[in-house]
């Protein structure tokens, strides 16, 4: 259960209640990223920079890249109709985090898009052969590689 925010507050980056709407998967991922970045800004006490190579670099040089995913994705590509969400990593960001001895802040969202769990992991602990290539895009890491899987 998510407990890191004071008084159980939830950061809504839109300034209005969340509602159900039809969105493309790209728009949903963008929305999920905004939620995770708003959470990171609240935790760090400073806003993150979505347009930079890395989301957060403080004055002491601590580098953090915020990654989010939703617990379950609806898809027609599997017989059950759902699959576990994935954190999408990029080679250029990963190599920069390694160079700066930085971290990933992984934020797992529940089915409604609210933060369910968050974990800060050193980039050096994330091993995937494609991340050695700075041109690698969309290297998927299933959320159960970061958080223990709950009963499905």
């Amino acid at each position: 259960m998510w407990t890191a925010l004071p008084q159980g507050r939830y950061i809504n980056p839109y300034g209005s209640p969340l509602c159900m709407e039809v969105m493309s998967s790209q728009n949903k991922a963008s929305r999920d990223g905004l939620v995770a970045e708003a959470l990171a800004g609240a935790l760090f006490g400073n806003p993150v920079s979505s347009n930079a190579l890395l989301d957060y670099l403080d004055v002491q040089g601590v580098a953090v890249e915020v990654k989010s995913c939703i617990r379950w994705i609806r898809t027609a590509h599997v017989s059950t109709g759902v699959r576990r969400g994935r954190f999408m990593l990029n080679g250029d960001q990963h190599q920069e985090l390694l160079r700066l001895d930085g971290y990933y802040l992984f934020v797992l969202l529940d089915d409604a898009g609210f933060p369910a769990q968050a974990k800060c992991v050193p980039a050096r602990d994330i091993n995937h052969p494609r991340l050695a290539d700075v041109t690698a895009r969309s290297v998927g890491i299933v959320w159960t590689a970061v958080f223990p899987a709950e009963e499905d």
Side-chain angles (χ1 to χ4, degrees):
M1 188 57 138
W2 180 256
T3 57
L5 289 177
Q7 294 87 32
R9 288 183 308 136
Y10 170 70
I11 306 300
N12 181 350
Y14 304 104
S16 63
L18 295 176
C19 62
M20 295 299 292
E21 57 187 78
V22 176
M23 286 191 210
S24 71
S25 60
Q26 184 86 16
N27 287 343
K28 288 179 188 176
S30 179
R31 180 206 56 207
D32 294 347
L34 287 173
V35 169
E37 288 172 355
L39 175 63
L43 292 173
F44 300 146
N46 290 308
V48 298
S49 176
S50 300
N51 298 325
L53 179 61
L54 299 176
D55 289 326
Y56 184 77
L57 182 62
D58 73 7
V59 293
Q60 287 89 22
V62 176
V64 179
E65 178 59 23
V66 181
K67 295 297 181 183
S68 65
C69 79
I70 200 155
R71 185 170 282 145
W72 294 103
I73 303 292
R74 287 183 181 83
T75 180
H77 300 291
V78 294
S79 62
T80 60
V82 294
R83 68 163 174 80
R84 288 188 168 105
R86 294 181 179 96
F87 297 106
M88 302 310 284
L89 310 183
N90 296 312
D92 56 348
Q93 292 173 329
H94 188 72
Q95 291 304 310
E96 186 67 2
L97 285 173
L98 290 175
R99 186 181 73 77
L100 296 171
D101 201 26
Y103 297 84
Y104 285 102
L105 175 62
F106 292 108
V107 179
L108 180 63
L109 305 175
D110 65 16
D111 295 334
F114 292 94
Q117 296 182 56
K119 186 175 188 179
C120 206
V121 177
R124 68 179 171 273
D125 291 351
I126 304 299
N127 298 309
H128 191 289
R130 287 191 46 221
L131 289 173
D133 179 0
V134 295
T135 64
R137 294 275 180 245
S138 300
V139 176
I141 307 290
V142 68
W143 67 261
T144 53
V146 178
F147 300 100
E150 299 172 356
E151 289 297 315
D152 298 338

